[in-house]
Amino acid sequence: MQEKLLAKNLLDFSKTLARPLFEKAAFPWEVFDKLSEFILELGSTLPLDEYDRIGEDIWVHKTAEIAPTAYLHGPLIIGEGTEVRHCAFIRGTAIVGKNCVVGNSTELKGSILFDNVQCPHYNYIGDSILGYRSHTGAGVITSNLKSDKSLVTVAFEGTKLDTNRKKFGAIIGDFTEVGCNSVLNPGTIVGRNTNVYPLSMVRGYVAENSIYKSRGEVCEKNVRLV
């Protein structure tokens, strides 16, 4: 039953520059250890007529819009048509895909945003993966470190799956909406096409095609993606 947690069942690999990483991984969090090296290797191959190298190990597509008040740190790749807004704080080891929004005062590190992802207002995205066309409402936090600093596990159907990672935030599947001021605890996995109510505290696995109202109150969505 752990197949529900496999990267291929949560994410469309064709919607990210990191596709080669995911194709070699079973579970999505396995890509984190190789992310920095992958960005450096990929960045050096990006066409100069499409990408500007604006700092050490930072590649930004020429069509991307970067606010002058935004902070960028490498290794980092920002894709075509993406908007990085006022006072965004990108701390590095990140891939931001095509047509994304990294909003005002949003902090991003150690993460992959697939194409068309929106994190528009006051978000913290740490050691996390956001799938194609996923969206985080204002104030959404992916908490990436347990209070006791122990290794993160994924709670799944009455068991705990070891990730062997001290820092690991959340995996948000394609087409998923996370409501305002929600907190995704370390090791949260949210399946495709799911809605999380505002002000939620989420832990463990949330099934695809569902609506998360509160812990223990999750219902199936009537509308499914084709």
Side-chain angles (χ1 to χ4, degrees), residues 46-223:
L46 293 173
L48 296 177
D49 61 337
E50 296 182 21
Y51 286 83
D52 292 322
R53 188 168 183 173
I54 65 172
E56 185 175 2
D57 304 327
I58 300 173
W59 293 269
V60 177
H61 197 277
K62 293 180 183 294
T63 62
E65 297 182 19
I66 312 296
T69 53
Y71 174 88
L72 307 181
H73 193 284
L76 170 64
I77 297 173
I78 296 176
E80 174 184 352
T82 283
E83 182 181 1
V84 179
R85 293 177 178 169
H86 176 64
C87 289
F89 181 30
I90 303 182
R91 292 166 48 195
T93 315
I95 296 177
V96 182
K98 298 179 182 178
N99 303 315
C100 292
V101 175
V102 180
N104 58 299
S105 304
T106 289
E107 182 177 350
L108 174 69
K109 58 86 62 176
S111 297
I112 299 172
L113 273 55
F114 278 50
D115 296 344
N116 296 85
V117 168
Q118 294 190 341
C119 307
H121 314 286
Y122 309 106
N123 300 131
Y124 175 69
I125 309 297
D127 301 277
S128 297
I129 298 168
L130 277 60
Y132 177 63
R133 287 193 180 277
S134 61
H135 173 269
T136 55
V140 168
I141 303 295
T142 62
S143 176
N144 63 338
L145 181 66
K146 295 173 67 174
S147 59
D148 63 2
K149 310 300 189 294
S150 61
L151 297 180
V152 175
T153 59
V154 176
F156 177 73
E157 298 185 351
T159 64
K160 290 186 177 180
L161 185 64
D162 293 329
T163 68
N164 298 313
R165 295 193 57 81
K166 185 176 180 180
K167 289 190 175 183
F168 169 31
I171 310 296
I172 301 175
D174 301 331
F175 298 99
T176 285
E177 296 274 343
V178 182
C180 296
N181 290 320
S182 293
V183 175
L184 307 184
N185 284 280
T188 294
I189 312 292
V190 184
R192 284 185 169 122
N193 191 35
T194 288
N195 289 69
V196 175
Y197 268 25
L199 299 173
S200 295
M201 185 181 70
V202 188
R203 187 184 304 277
Y205 173 72
V206 181
E208 65 179 16
N209 297 308
S210 63
I211 299 174
Y212 182 99
K213 299 181 179 181
S214 63
R215 190 178 180 91
E217 189 178 6
V218 182
C219 62
E220 187 176 356
K221 291 177 72 170
N222 292 324
V223 178

